[in-house]
Amino acid sequence: QVQLVESGGGLVQAGDSLRLSCAASGRTFTSGTMAWFRQAPGKAREFVATISGSGGTTYYADSVKGRFTISRNNARNTVYLQMNSLKLEDTAVYYCAAVFRPIFYSGRYDQNGAYDYWGQGTQVTVSS
């Protein structure tokens, strides 16, 4: 069973930076595609970013491109989301997700259903 534990959320002001972490256990980490999603109040959970097992391939939602960076440290079984220039609309619960089968070729990497494992989420609140 795969376990994902997010950390690093908090309350920040618009324009600030924050780094989220997701520690994974239970499977060979390097074989897993990892992703971040988020869910704002009253809205559906949406894709933020994803990264391949090797870290060589990444994709981002248009809304965060140029501001957020996803990365991973396979030696530490951890994936990160560096968030810069935070905006009010970035306020959400951020979830870490994982899948241990190829999904990039299908183009489904931005869909909730493409991922098999989820963390409990960490709250990010951006204030003005």
Side-chain angles (χ1 to χ4, degrees):
Q1 184 70 15
V2 175
Q3 290 189 328
L4 304 174
V5 180
E6 302 97 334
S7 61
L11 173 64
V12 296
Q13 292 189 321
D16 284 352
S17 297
L18 202 61
R19 189 177 82 157
L20 305 182
S21 299
C22 172
S25 62
R27 286 286 294 269
T28 303
F29 187 65
T30 53
S31 66
T33 294
M34 305 296 295
W36 289 96
F37 285 73
R38 67 186 181 185
Q39 186 168 21
K43 296 187 177 181
R45 188 161 56 187
E46 65 175 7
F47 169 76
V48 175
T50 189
I51 187 167
S52 63
S54 67
T57 302
T58 58
Y59 294 103
Y60 295 91
D62 288 342
S63 59
V64 306
K65 203 171 293 183
R67 299 188 299 122
F68 290 11
T69 302
I70 189 170
S71 62
R72 63 193 295 161
N73 184 327
N74 286 341
R76 296 188 175 185
N77 287 3
T78 302
V79 63
Y80 305 98
L81 185 68
Q82 177 67 43
M83 305 185 293
N84 299 330
S85 303
L86 282 161
K87 304 176 180 180
L88 297 179
E89 52 264 41
D90 294 320
T91 294
V93 177
Y94 283 71
Y95 296 92
C96 178
V99 62
F100 293 86
R101 50 189 165 78
I103 61 169
F104 285 173
Y105 74 97
S106 67
R108 297 182 62 234
Y109 56 83
D110 59 350
Q111 298 179 23
N112 286 269
Y115 297 85
D116 297 326
Y117 303 97
W118 294 85
Q120 293 300 306
T122 185
Q123 176 70 47
V124 173
T125 303
V126 184
S127 65
S128 59

